[in-house]
Amino acid sequence: MIEDENTIAANDAAELREETAAAAPEVAEHDETAKLRAELAESKAAVLYAHAEAQNVRRRAEKETADARAYAATNFARDLLSVADNLARGLEAIPAELRADEKMKGLVAGLEATGRELEAVFQRHGIKKMVAIGEKLDPNFHQAMFELPSDQAPGTVVQEMQAGYMIKDRLLRPALVGVAKAG
C-alpha cells in the first residue's frame, strides 16, 4: 500500500514538473542539460572501460608473445634430451681398453665432441641440467623412483637415474632419483 502511494506521488510530481516545464522554458532546458550530462558521464565511463580493456588485451598479447618466444622450443628440447641421454650412456659404456685403442680414439673423441656441442646448444637456448644428488627431494623438480638405505638424511637424493632439466625458469623434465630411506 505504501508502494502504491509512493508511485502515485512520483507520478504526480512528474506531471507537475511537465506542466511547470511547459510554462517555464528554463526548467525544460535544465532537464535537458541534466539528461545530456548523464549521457556524457555514461559515455566517458564506457570510453574509459574500453580503453582499459584494450590495454589489458595488449599486455596479455605481449606476455603471450614473449612466452611463445621463450618456450617455443620446449617440445623439441624435450625430444632432444633423450638423444643427449643416449649419447651419454653410449660414451659411459665404452670400456677403458677401447678408449686407449688407437683405432677407436678418433671415434670416442668425436662422440665426446658431439656431447659437448649438444651441451653448448642447450646452454645457448636456456636449457640447464639440474643438480639433484645431495639435494632435498623436491617434488617440483624430482621424481622419486625408490628409497635406499643411506647415511644421508631421509628425503635426500642419493642416486640419479635420469638427469632433470630446466628451460629458462620452467621445468623441462624432472630428475628420476633414488632417495635416502628413513631409519
Side-chain angles (χ1 to χ4, degrees), residues 103-176:
K103 293 178 183 176
M104 297 301 287
K105 277 188 177 180
L107 176 63
V108 172
L111 290 173
E112 289 172 341
T114 302
R116 286 190 301 274
E117 181 62 24
L118 191 55
E119 287 292 322
V121 168
F122 282 171
Q123 285 188 1
R124 276 197 305 271
H125 292 279
I127 300 167
K128 292 179 238 119
K129 190 182 234 182
M130 296 185 310
V131 176
I133 297 196
E135 298 288 317
K136 195 77 173 148
L137 178 70
D138 183 346
N140 296 312
F141 301 108
H142 308 127
Q143 183 174 342
M145 302 303 290
F146 52 86
E147 289 184 318
L148 293 170
S150 173
D151 56 351
Q152 299 278 337
T156 302
V157 175
V158 292
Q159 186 176 351
E160 183 178 62
M161 308 207 17
Q162 185 179 59
Y165 285 86
M166 300 286 291
I167 183 166
K168 308 234 186 290
D169 60 345
R170 290 186 183 172
L171 182 67
L172 185 59
R173 179 179 80 185
L176 303 181

Side-chain angles (χ1 to χ4, degrees), residues 35-58:
K35 180 181 170 190
L36 290 173
R37 283 190 178 137
E39 287 176 5
L40 178 62
E42 188 178 310
S43 296
K44 281 183 179 180
V47 166
L48 288 174
Y49 178 78
H51 181 68
E53 183 64 24
Q55 281 183 327
N56 288 340
V57 168
R58 182 183 48 80

Side-chain angles (χ1 to χ4, degrees), residues 4 18 20 27 38 64 66 73 76 81-82 94-96 107 112 124 132 141 145-146 165 179:
D4 291 340
E18 286 178 24
T20 307
V27 173
E64 287 172 0
F76 181 68
L81 291 180
S82 65
I94 299 173
L107 176 63
E112 289 172 341
R124 276 197 305 271
F141 301 108
M145 302 303 290
F146 52 86
Y165 285 86
V179 181

